[in-house]
Amino acid sequence: DAGVIQSPRHEVTEMGQEVTLRCKPISGHNSLFWYRQTMMRGLELLIYFNNNVPIDDSGMPEDRFSAKMPNASFSTLKIQPSEPRDSAVYFCASSLGDRGSGGYTFGSGTRLTVV
Amino acid sequence: KQEVTQIPAALSVPEGENLVLNCSFTDSAIYNLQWFRQDPGKGLTSLLLIQSSQREQTSGRLNASLDKSSGRSTLYIAASQPGDSATYLCAVTSGSARQLTFGSGTQLTVLP
């Protein structure tokens, strides 16, 4: 398995533009998570899905953020409109089983810079 | 709300030394605990996963222990090497949710 695949690896965009981050979880994993990492706040959970259904989106900072998982092999995190304070590394992770009993596997992340 | 603390925040040791990284968590009702490694500008690499019913896990020069009742875990690195230099993150899965709660990490530097 190629692991959790995220795209793009780097994204530079202007303030106000729409940004879409993509994630392909490990085949067979039934839970998917989006995290954001900054120097100030460390790793923060934004949203997680179980069996393609959003379970908890309380970590999504604002209505400008939205996430979808249309099928078991694909998820997107969209920011519209983007702001400089959204600059961070965004990680996607997947796990198998309830409560991550098989452990969590992280993608390589998308480094977002909003100028 | 689960909180995870890692001590020390940074550690610098000479090559060859054995070292211990510490992790503590406030809610002992965890399902598992996972240690990750993160190199600068890179993603998270899973090192060890300990289920709540286990006391320790070993992989090569790494040994992680778990004392759930006291809310503590340690990561022991034997015979450290410069290639071990990275940030080490501890994370727990707990509560009715399924997500990981991370500590802030220990930045390790192994000097040649």
Side-chain angles (χ1 to χ4, degrees), chain B residues 71-88:
Chain B
R72 295 180 186 276
S73 175
T74 61
L75 179 65
Y76 175 82
I77 301 177
S80 59
Q81 303 170 358
D84 295 331
S85 298
T87 297
Y88 291 80

Side-chain angles (χ1 to χ4, degrees), chain A residues 35 37 98-101 104, chain B residues 31-32 34 38 51 98 100:
Chain A
Y35 283 86
Q37 186 177 38
D98 191 28
R99 299 181 181 87
S101 57
Y104 296 76
Chain B
Y31 296 103
N32 57 53
Q34 199 162 356
Q38 186 174 30
Q51 303 295 344
R98 296 177 176 84
L100 286 172

Side-chain angles (χ1 to χ4, degrees), chain B residues 11-68:
Chain B
L11 180 64
S12 184
V13 300
E15 182 177 4
E17 196 163 291
N18 301 326
L19 58 98
V20 174
L21 307 182
N22 296 293
C23 172
S24 62
F25 44 94
T26 55
D27 183 353
S28 62
I30 67 169
Y31 296 103
N32 57 53
L33 181 145
Q34 199 162 356
W35 283 94
F36 293 88
R37 166 183 174 144
Q38 186 174 30
D39 292 282
K42 302 294 184 181
L44 281 69
T45 300
S46 179
L47 298 173
L48 290 164
L49 170 68
I50 310 178
Q51 303 295 344
S52 61
S53 59
Q54 297 175 323
R55 298 284 295 190
E56 65 177 348
Q57 282 286 338
T58 298
S59 176
R61 295 183 292 109
L62 304 180
N63 175 275
S65 68
L66 174 63
D67 184 343
K68 199 171 69 166

Side-chain angles (χ1 to χ4, degrees), chain A residues 77-100:
Chain A
L77 178 67
K78 184 178 294 185
I79 308 173
Q80 165 65 18
S82 58
E83 297 182 3
R85 59 192 168 125
D86 301 331
S87 297
V89 181
Y90 291 80
F91 288 104
C92 176
S94 69
S95 71
L96 174 64
D98 191 28
R99 299 181 181 87

